[in-house]
Amino acid sequence: MGDTPETLELLPLDALHRRLGARMVPFAGYSMPIQYEGIVAEHNWTRTAAGLFDVSHMGQVILTGDSADAALEALIPGDIIGLKTGCLRYSMLLDAQGGILDDLMVTRREGDLYLVVNGAMKHSDIAILKAGLPGVDVAYRPDLALLALQGPTAVDALERLAPGVAALSFMRAGTFTLAGTSVWVSRSGYTGEDGFEISVPAADAERIAELLLAQPEVKPIGLGARDSLRLEAGLPLYGHDLTPETTPVEASLAFAISKRRKAEGGFPGADRVLKQLLDGPAKKRVGLKIDGRQPVREGAPVVHDGANVGAVTSGGHGPALNAPIAMAYVPAALAGDGQRLQLEVRGKLLDATVVPMPFFPKNYVRQGAKA
């Protein structure tokens, strides 16, 4: 059954989005803002200044209990035991065949593990965590909202309101005070730009969002630009570029499997995943630069020598590149940079080239800026 206005949940900032003139659409069971002034304008603003995204549809989950880190390693291929306090790690829930059930972020905090999972998958993820982590308390926190402040001047805006955040570097996090409210801030995001994700009590979300939007660098940004930004950054989207039919190796995410986990295994689908690491996968996720101006959307067949060899999983116009780009799965033999392929759009074949990702350079801050 599809989402209807009667079944959609509302974000804590729903009233603010509507006051700001957002166009609202159904997404992950919520009514969410897809754009305010326009996707291209919002995309370019985030690349040059700072954009505020409401990502409260994401699931925030807290794990507590003795050896929660070791228990979690039985479900994901990441090194959680070795994760230091205040550090984030990207990982994936896998099925018994090594297929990706979801991707997620894990942060070690004092006394717990803090997880952020995808909005559309959060309830199934929580069920997997509860079933797979006996002795660990799995607490879903719908009382928390999540804001993402992204862009090269995001640090200026947030440091003004939450002194000390500029000292964080990429994939580091901590507790800060923002306008009298205790918030959890990580220097991370989903745009390829420098930026922060801010977990705030839902009851304070509107007040804090308005304070952020009052900063001269900051404008509200919708789902449309979030998607084009992550596409330019070569970042996969669950349910599109990542599915149970793809493994971390096929998805070009082997970096998320640490040396120790490669040696020890012990995660779902380890035999298949480790074999792919050794022998290479049959297919790979690649970036495609498309000749001409026509964007290519998800589902378009990839053609080589007249035969269908794969499918586009994400595609569109890259505003900062002023060119159409896409991601697709193709046979490993056709995944090398410079490989020429074709994409079929309404019976017409468009020429494309396999190129390295990201399409647009990432601008993460590996060392904290001076406050």
Side-chain angles (χ1 to χ4, degrees):
M1 178 182 290
D3 295 327
T4 67
E6 292 75 24
T7 62
L8 292 174
E9 294 189 62
L10 301 182
L11 299 167
L13 297 181
D14 184 78
L16 176 61
H17 295 313
R18 295 176 192 278
R19 286 202 306 275
L20 293 171
R23 182 157 72 84
M24 308 296 285
V25 299
F27 182 81
Y30 289 82
S31 179
M32 295 193 63
I34 191 167
Q35 65 180 54
Y36 300 86
E37 62 174 302
I39 292 171
V40 172
E42 293 170 27
H43 179 113
N44 290 332
W45 182 266
T46 306
R47 285 273 183 250
T48 56
L52 183 67
F53 302 75
D54 183 1
V55 289
S56 300
H57 65 298
M58 305 285 278
Q60 298 181 69
V61 182
I62 296 174
L63 308 183
T64 52
D66 293 339
S67 301
D69 49 5
L72 184 58
E73 284 195 358
L75 299 180
I76 67 176
D79 177 6
I80 308 305
I81 292 173
L83 186 61
K84 295 180 180 179
T85 300
C87 294
L88 288 72
R89 185 146 290 157
Y90 172 80
S91 196
M92 292 151 277
L93 281 169
L94 303 180
D95 66 18
Q97 290 73 47
I100 303 172
L101 298 173
D102 198 10
D103 61 341
L104 68 157
M105 298 294 295
V106 184
T107 309
R108 186 186 293 279
R109 307 194 299 190
E110 292 287 352
D112 65 36
L113 295 174
Y114 168 71
L115 277 59
V116 177
V117 300
N118 283 303
M121 303 303 297
K122 63 187 174 188
H123 296 299
S124 60
D125 289 355
I126 290 164
I128 291 168
L129 292 168
K130 287 184 174 180
L133 300 176
V136 175
D137 182 68
V138 180
Y140 169 47
R141 295 294 303 274
D143 58 315
L144 297 175
L146 191 63
L147 307 177
L149 186 66
Q150 300 282 295
T153 63
V155 63
D156 302 318
L158 190 56
E159 178 70 22
R160 209 173 289 133
L161 297 172
V165 296
L168 293 174
S169 56
F170 181 59
M171 299 292 273
R172 300 293 185 269
T175 300
F176 295 86
T177 299
L178 200 168
T181 297
S182 179
V183 298
W184 180 255
V185 179
S186 63
R187 199 159 195 168
S188 61
Y190 191 50
T191 62
E193 291 295 334
D194 182 28
F196 302 86
E197 293 192 340
I198 310 161
S199 176
V200 307
D204 296 311
E206 186 169 328
R207 177 177 63 87
I208 287 173
E210 288 182 324
L211 284 171
L212 289 166
L213 289 168
Q215 306 308 303
E217 301 91 346
V218 183
K219 287 185 178 182
I221 311 294
L223 279 176
R226 181 172 165 87
D227 192 54
S228 58
L229 287 158
R230 68 92 191 170
L231 177 59
E232 285 189 344
L235 298 172
L237 176 63
Y238 192 80
H240 302 263
D241 313 292
L242 308 178
T243 71
E245 284 69 52
T246 56
T247 70
V249 184
E250 294 166 349
S252 300
L253 299 175
F255 69 86
I257 308 172
S258 72
K259 183 178 179 180
R260 176 174 65 83
R261 301 308 308 278
K262 289 173 183 174
E264 296 176 0
F267 53 87
D271 288 349
R272 182 184 181 201
V273 170
L274 297 180
K275 188 174 188 303
Q276 288 184 342
L277 282 169
L278 187 64
D279 300 336
K283 63 179 181 179
K284 287 194 70 175
R285 178 174 66 96
V286 298
L288 295 170
K289 186 78 177 292
I290 300 155
D291 294 0
R293 307 292 302 167
Q294 183 171 341
V296 177
R297 304 299 178 186
E298 179 181 356
V302 180
V303 177
H304 182 255
D305 284 344
N308 284 9
V309 294
V312 169
T313 53
S314 287
H317 178 69
L321 303 166
N322 196 28
I325 52 176
M327 289 189 277
Y329 281 87
V330 302
L334 301 177
D337 293 343
Q339 174 68 52
R340 294 289 284 172
L341 298 168
Q342 293 181 303
L343 307 177
E344 184 179 341
V345 179
R346 294 188 293 275
K348 180 182 177 183
L349 291 176
L350 305 178
D351 293 324
T353 305
V354 175
V355 297
M357 292 188 285
F359 301 98
F360 187 85
K362 292 177 181 176
N363 294 308
Y364 301 142
V365 172
R366 301 290 178 178
Q367 300 294 328
K370 292 182 179 180

